[in-house]
């Protein structure tokens, strides 16, 4: 039987990522959205740090944002991340954004625990939120299973187009 994240602790923050976690948070974003390295991106220090701060700046217009991290107890390493926001314009809708667990730490239900931890923001009743919207690649079967276990259902599909130059 698989363990239920006993080797991990869930940490929380609502504003900007604590300074001591920014580099690790940037690393998690890079895993989720790998980009091709160019001579420009490799020559500029702290590009990942700036990306985290820019991402957070785009979330400041929301009525509420909560972020959770999964930290491996033995190493102190940030190995998972999840974010949920409540819309200012439509507070009945919350958005579950990125949820990621580093591959070698998967299989302990950490992704599900991170999602549940972000949803705790809504327990206060402070927001009139009636639904949570999230997005997944159809290829991400483990996270689809997490969403289904949490009671989510498919509400639509999106097609992305790309032209390689």
């Amino acid at each position: 039987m698989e363990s239920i994240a006993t080797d991990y602790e869930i940490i929380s923050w609502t504003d900007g990522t604590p300074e001591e976690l920014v580099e690790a948070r940037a690393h998690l974003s890079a895993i989720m959205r790998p980009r091709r390295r160019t001579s420009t991106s490799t020559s500029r220090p702290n590009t990942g740090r700036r990306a985290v701060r820019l991402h957070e700046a785009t979330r400041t217009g929301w009525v509420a944002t909560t972020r959770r991290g999964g930290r491996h107890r033995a190493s102190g390493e940030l190995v998972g991340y999840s974010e949920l926001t409540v819309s200012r314009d439509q507070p009945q809708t919350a958005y579950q954004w990125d949820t990621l667990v580093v591959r070698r730490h998967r299989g302990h239900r950490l992704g599900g625990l991170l999602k549940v931890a972000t949803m705790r923001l809504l327990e206060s009743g402070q927001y009139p939120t009636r639904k949570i919207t999230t997005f997944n690649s159809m290829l991400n079967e483990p996270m689809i299973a997490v969403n289904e276990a949490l009671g989510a259902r498919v509400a639509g599909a999106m097609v992305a187009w790309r032209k390689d130059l």
Side-chain angles (χ1 to χ4, degrees):
M1 183 172 177
E2 65 186 53
S3 67
I4 304 177
T6 56
D7 293 335
Y8 304 89
E9 65 178 325
I10 304 296
I11 56 176
S12 307
W13 61 96
T14 53
D15 295 321
T17 301
E19 196 58 36
E20 66 274 11
L21 297 175
V22 174
E23 290 297 325
R25 173 68 185 89
H27 174 69
L28 294 175
S29 288
I31 291 170
M32 181 165 258
R33 290 182 192 82
R35 294 193 174 116
R36 291 184 194 155
R37 289 191 168 263
T38 65
S39 59
T40 307
S41 66
T42 57
S43 64
R44 290 173 35 195
N46 297 320
T47 302
R49 178 179 291 277
R50 279 196 298 271
V52 168
R53 294 304 186 207
L54 179 62
H55 169 79
E56 291 171 345
T58 67
R59 298 289 191 255
T60 58
W62 296 82
V63 97
T65 298
T66 185
R67 298 175 176 101
R68 301 293 191 256
R71 185 167 29 209
H72 186 237
R73 292 181 194 277
S75 68
E77 180 184 2
L78 188 68
V79 299
Y81 173 79
S82 190
E83 177 180 67
L84 181 130
T85 58
V86 175
S87 169
R88 178 180 309 284
D89 296 329
Q90 296 178 336
Q92 70 276 9
T93 301
Y95 293 89
Q96 177 74 58
W97 299 102
D98 298 349
T99 299
L100 171 85
V101 175
V102 173
R103 186 172 309 277
R104 71 180 178 277
H105 293 277
R106 293 178 186 165
H108 303 283
R109 299 186 180 169
L110 183 56
L113 290 174
L114 287 167
K115 280 194 171 213
V116 169
T118 61
M119 292 176 196
R120 298 246 187 263
L121 170 72
L122 306 175
E123 287 181 338
S124 70
Q126 182 178 350
Y127 309 103
T129 305
R130 308 282 300 153
K131 66 181 175 180
I132 298 171
T133 298
T134 191
F135 306 88
N136 272 98
S137 163
M138 296 296 288
L139 302 175
N140 190 347
E141 292 177 9
M143 194 52 70
I144 290 170
V146 167
N147 288 332
E148 288 174 348
L150 292 174
R153 61 177 174 74
V154 174
M158 183 173 88
V159 176
W161 295 77
R162 180 179 83 188
K163 176 178 175 56
D164 291 330
L165 303 174

